[in-house]
Amino acid sequence: MNLIDKDITPCIFEHGGVGASGDLVQLAHLALVLIGEGEVIFDGQVHPTIEIFNKFDIKPLSIHIREGLAILNGTSAMTGIGLVNLIQARKLLEWSFFFSAMTNEIVGAFDDHYSYELNIVKRHTGQNSVPKMLREILKDSK
């Protein structure tokens, strides 16, 4: 938490293996920082970790047997990439709702294709949530 609060970022290479524990390179650089080694980015510059730890009186982790493996062996890079993709996909979906609504407005379309009555009989969550979103966006439409 000290690192996040003080905007200290572990220096982790952007490129490397991912998948099937292929994020070991990135996790190793993160682990180095946690034990006071490696490099960090602070104030837009790369510094030796121990220098910044000393500056802020941050104590490195003291790891015991098997804890090193626990820090290294994970799927955090894949999880992070997956979450970024999920966030971007949600943004794209929201934009598609707005573009669809804008198209309806421009062409003066009828609202029956996203009406509650037409879509509620279809027992599919997506079939109901998409028209609901369009109804919400277009609620003040004339």
Side-chain angles (χ1 to χ4, degrees), residues 93-107 109 113-114 130 134 137-138:
L93 184 60
E94 287 176 14
W95 293 345
S96 71
F97 290 145
F98 284 108
F99 289 137
S100 178
M102 286 171 44
T103 302
N104 280 288
E105 284 291 295
I106 290 168
V107 300
H113 64 283
Y114 59 88
V130 170
L134 287 172
I137 293 169
L138 294 166

Side-chain angles (χ1 to χ4, degrees), residues 52 68 71 97:
I52 301 300
I71 292 171
F97 290 145

Side-chain angles (χ1 to χ4, degrees), residues 5-58:
D5 290 341
K6 294 175 176 41
D7 200 23
I8 301 167
T9 307
C11 190
I12 300 174
F13 295 99
E14 180 178 358
H15 297 287
V18 237
S21 292
D23 52 358
L24 295 176
V25 171
Q26 294 90 345
L27 290 171
H29 286 280
L30 173 61
L32 279 173
V33 169
L34 296 177
I35 63 171
E37 299 182 24
E39 297 175 320
V40 294
I41 301 169
F42 180 72
D43 278 343
Q45 305 231 337
V46 177
H47 300 273
T49 299
I50 198 66
E51 176 185 303
I52 301 300
F53 275 28
N54 289 339
K55 178 178 181 169
F56 290 104
D57 197 30
I58 298 172

Side-chain angles (χ1 to χ4, degrees), residues 76-87:
S76 59
M78 289 184 297
T79 302
I81 291 168
L83 288 173
V84 168
N85 288 338
L86 180 63
I87 291 166

